[in-house]
Amino acid sequence: MTRRPNFLFIITDQQRADYLGCMEHPLLKTPHIDGLAARGTRFEEFHTASPVCMPNRASLVTGRYPSVHGLRKNGLHLPRHNSTFVEALRLEGYHTALIGKSHLQPFTGRDVPQQNPAAGARVPDAHQESDEDWRNEEPERWSSEAEYRVELPYYGFVHADIVTKHGDNCGGHYDRWLRRQVEDPEQLRGPAHQLPHDYICPQAYRTAMPEELHPTRYVELKACDYLASRRGEEAPFFAFVSFPDPHHPFCPPGKYWDLYDPDDFEVAVPYDAHHNPPPHLRFVAEQYRRGERNARTEKAFMASEREIREAMALTCGMIGMIDDAVGRLLSCLEDNGLADDTVVIFTSDHGDYMGDFNLLLKGPAPLRSITRVPLIWAEPGQGEARRTTALTSAIDMAPSILERAGITPYHGVQGKSLLPLLRGEAWERRSLLIEHEDNIAHWGFERPAHSRTLLRDGYRLTLFQDQEWGELYHLPSDPHETRNLWDDPDYREQRHALTEALLRQMLTASETSPWPKRIA
């Protein structure tokens, strides 16, 4: 009997597709990840189901769109009634491990500022749930002296070593480990204890946290420990190794802080490059000009050229540290005799504007910089690099991994297996849907922005709920999305055809599960 493959699934947080050496970044050096691409398949049009952390992570593990699995926006959670491909692997004999950031449940403990208008009613929500269903990753669960462990299996994972939050202020199992290494870790964390520097970028600080205690190093160490534990084991494994970086704050430790020089970077697509900015971009620009931006939150903001170049350099430093960690993970596979049986996958949950139109972070504008992310799939024994420009999505991960493991995908999966592309076979997808729902109103929207985006025939069409305006870009002639064709009379028929195609794609993405039990 042919041994079923192991899977090492490596995922970063907030890394756009072109921030890798193998994706032609002009400065960033990522030799270990590039090495994967040199012996694997590089997907150059791999997109999020939603360009936000929690919804897209849930789409990765379920193979379903956020509007269907229920984690539609940050601050919700993945309801337990959802099947995940991890659970399907577990039930078929795989040992399943989560090491690092999960973020299938909220991990801040902060309330949303815009409260449910029915909060005082006896029945405040159409969906009813217990607090026990969704508070496993919140800080209060980890605040007592006793070790807290999530109930296993956790969305299918039988081993869970969880890291919450970002930067040098991560929590969860990492925080417990850190407190065993140093007496007072708070003296190493945050801008209040930072080392001297002259950077001006918001959310950039030179952390006092040494490299050996940083969350990236912790994930690397725990993942290597796990791989070593699988040496000689009969059961195959699936390891979900999830780094909290290069998400902001911009605070790589040690030598990674000045690994790159901000003066070497350029803002290639400034705000002024947009010929006719849509209302939400104009709003953010006016906010910046009036000095009213809020650059201390999770929400995207406009920044100066210097601030952006610093963010770029520090982000590359964080990715450089991750690349070193990936190199050690690959060495651990070799050292433990696992490399010949292990599929290695590298991706990210969403991107970052990283200077496009002078923006940082992520927001309601579904630019390619936040919807397009890296995907490299390296098969054991594959000796040559392949690349594909097929339209692919986060929802394709679940059916692809299940098929590669020889497991029938559960009914209701909305993605398509990527295995034909890995084999160089024909594979058809003309249209791709991307969903987005904000959790608060900002960027000039009166209510939280709610949009649907279609990629089709080289165009990007975006419709916003309650808005008469929209976005239409022809990407082959305008790859940076600088000329909105929505109101261009020459593209009226194209806009109408794409709007109809979007509607059909949304119908295709509607819920079909569960399968009927009876003839009514």
Side-chain angles (χ1 to χ4, degrees):
M1 178 178 176
T2 303
R3 176 180 169 84
R4 292 176 295 171
N6 305 313
F7 294 90
L8 175 58
F9 188 100
I10 304 168
I11 181 170
T12 61
D13 195 337
Q14 199 158 302
Q15 181 177 354
R16 50 188 280 168
D18 53 2
Y19 265 58
L20 286 175
C22 60
M23 293 295 281
E24 301 180 354
H25 192 283
L27 299 171
L28 177 59
K29 306 299 182 186
T30 49
H32 302 293
I33 299 170
D34 295 354
L36 277 179
R39 63 177 180 86
T41 302
R42 189 175 75 231
F43 291 76
E44 299 195 351
E45 287 295 332
F46 185 68
H47 291 264
T48 62
S50 176
V52 186
C53 294
M54 298 182 71
N56 198 60
R57 286 172 176 266
S59 289
L60 279 168
V61 298
T62 62
R64 286 149 63 83
Y65 277 103
S67 59
V68 175
H69 59 58
L71 207 174
R72 307 181 326 277
K73 60 186 74 180
N74 274 353
L76 293 171
H77 70 284
L78 181 61
R80 293 297 184 92
H81 67 257
N82 282 279
S83 296
T84 69
F85 78 79
V86 186
E87 177 69 2
L89 290 172
R90 182 185 75 83
L91 292 174
E92 292 287 345
Y94 271 77
H95 193 273
T96 53
L98 161 63
I99 302 162
K101 181 180 175 183
S102 157
H103 216 187
L104 298 175
Q105 298 187 4
F107 58 38
T108 67
R110 303 197 310 264
D111 289 332
V112 175
Q114 295 160 346
Q115 291 299 305
N116 178 359
R122 282 188 182 275
V123 182
D125 237 317
H127 284 269
Q128 301 203 40
E129 58 211 9
S130 162
D131 282 359
E132 296 302 313
D133 291 339
W134 58 274
R135 289 191 166 180
N136 285 284
E137 300 183 30
E138 290 196 350
E140 65 181 34
R141 295 296 177 94
W142 307 85
S143 60
S144 68
E145 291 299 320
E147 188 74 17
Y148 176 71
R149 299 186 184 278
V150 298
E151 183 180 348
L152 300 175
Y154 189 61
Y155 295 107
F157 293 105
V158 297
H159 173 101
D161 201 325
I162 294 176
V163 178
T164 62
K165 299 187 285 189
H166 303 104
D168 60 7
N169 194 38
C170 288
H173 287 111
Y174 162 75
D175 182 69
R176 293 302 181 85
W177 172 84
L178 181 63
R179 293 178 186 280
R180 293 193 292 269
Q181 313 306 309
V182 292
E183 185 174 343
D184 186 6
E186 302 312 320
Q187 295 301 309
L188 301 173
R189 289 173 147 166
H193 304 100
Q194 65 181 306
L195 304 176
H197 68 89
D198 59 358
Y199 282 41
I200 62 172
C201 178
Q203 303 193 40
Y205 58 88
R206 188 162 196 169
T207 179
M209 185 73 69
E211 293 172 29
E212 63 270 18
L213 298 178
H214 190 269
T216 293
R217 184 62 51 80
Y218 173 82
V219 172
E220 171 205 318
L221 292 172
K222 291 298 180 180
C224 282
D225 287 347
Y226 175 77
L227 294 176
S229 76
R230 303 312 301 166
R231 183 186 183 109
E233 293 290 336
E234 184 176 344
F237 67 81
F238 175 84
F240 187 89
V241 179
S242 179
F243 293 98
D245 272 356
H247 193 287
H248 58 99
F250 307 106
C251 57
K255 66 176 179 286
Y256 297 102
W257 171 270
D258 48 16
L259 195 61
Y260 292 91
D261 186 342
D263 289 338
D264 293 336
F265 292 79
E266 65 170 324
V267 181
V269 192
Y271 176 76
D272 291 342
H274 206 302
H275 297 277
N276 53 339
H280 55 345
L281 286 183
R282 294 201 303 270
F283 179 89
V284 179
E286 285 301 317
Q287 207 176 36
Y288 175 72
R289 289 170 184 143
R290 294 194 302 265
E292 296 174 358
R293 70 175 184 179
N294 185 350
R296 300 294 174 184
T297 72
E298 299 291 311
K299 304 302 183 182
F301 59 89
M302 192 163 281
S304 70
E305 180 178 335
R306 180 64 194 179
E307 292 170 338
I308 293 167
R309 296 196 318 192
E310 290 175 356
M312 289 173 167
L314 296 175
T315 294
C316 286
M318 289 189 275
I319 296 171
M321 188 176 190
I322 291 169
D323 186 71
D324 286 344
V326 170
R328 294 187 186 98
L329 292 177
L330 297 178
S331 294
C332 286
L333 286 178
E334 294 282 355
D335 294 344
N336 291 286
L338 301 169
D340 291 341
D341 297 310
T342 302
V343 174
V344 182
I345 300 168
F346 179 88
T347 190
S348 190
D349 61 353
H350 58 82
D352 189 302
Y353 293 131
M354 201 52 60
D356 285 357
F357 305 125
N358 285 90
L359 297 168
L360 287 175
L361 316 188
K362 57 191 179 293
L367 303 176
R368 286 170 60 79
S369 47
I370 65 168
T371 68
R372 180 173 167 258
V373 293
L375 174 62
I376 300 167
W377 183 302
E379 286 282 334
Q382 181 179 336
E384 60 180 16
R386 295 176 181 157
R387 59 181 288 274
T388 175
T389 57
L391 280 177
T392 51
S393 169
I395 61 172
D396 299 329
M397 278 287 92
S400 303
I401 290 171
L402 290 177
E403 183 183 345
R404 184 64 181 84
I407 299 170
T408 301
Y410 41 84
H411 172 64
V413 166
Q414 296 172 310
K416 295 177 59 176
S417 172
L418 302 175
L419 265 60
L421 290 170
L422 298 176
R423 297 189 291 260
E425 299 172 0
W427 193 87
E428 180 62 33
R429 177 185 274 146
R430 188 177 176 188
S431 299
L432 190 66
L433 174 68
I434 300 170
E435 302 182 342
H436 180 257
E437 293 187 33
D438 248 334
N439 55 4
I440 66 169
H442 65 134
W443 273 41
F445 290 96
E446 293 184 4
R447 295 194 296 174
H450 183 161
S451 70
R452 294 292 184 266
T453 290
L454 182 78
L455 302 179
R456 181 180 171 94
D457 298 341
Y459 288 92
R460 191 261 283 184
L461 174 85
T462 301
L463 271 64
F464 291 86
Q465 185 179 24
D466 300 330
Q467 306 299 321
E468 294 182 359
W469 56 272
E471 294 187 86
L472 175 62
Y473 299 93
H474 184 242
L475 301 174
S477 62
D478 182 21
H480 299 300
E481 301 163 284
T482 63
R483 190 182 299 275
N484 186 6
L485 305 173
W486 179 267
D487 290 321
D488 190 324
D490 293 339
Y491 288 86
R492 184 174 295 118
E493 289 187 11
Q494 187 65 50
R495 178 182 125 190
H496 292 163
L498 289 168
T499 301
E500 179 180 339
L502 174 59
L503 176 59
R504 294 186 183 280
Q505 195 69 20
M506 291 170 65
L507 287 170
T508 301
S510 60
E511 177 68 282
T512 61
S513 180
W515 192 269
K517 306 298 187 293
R518 298 284 190 272
I519 299 294

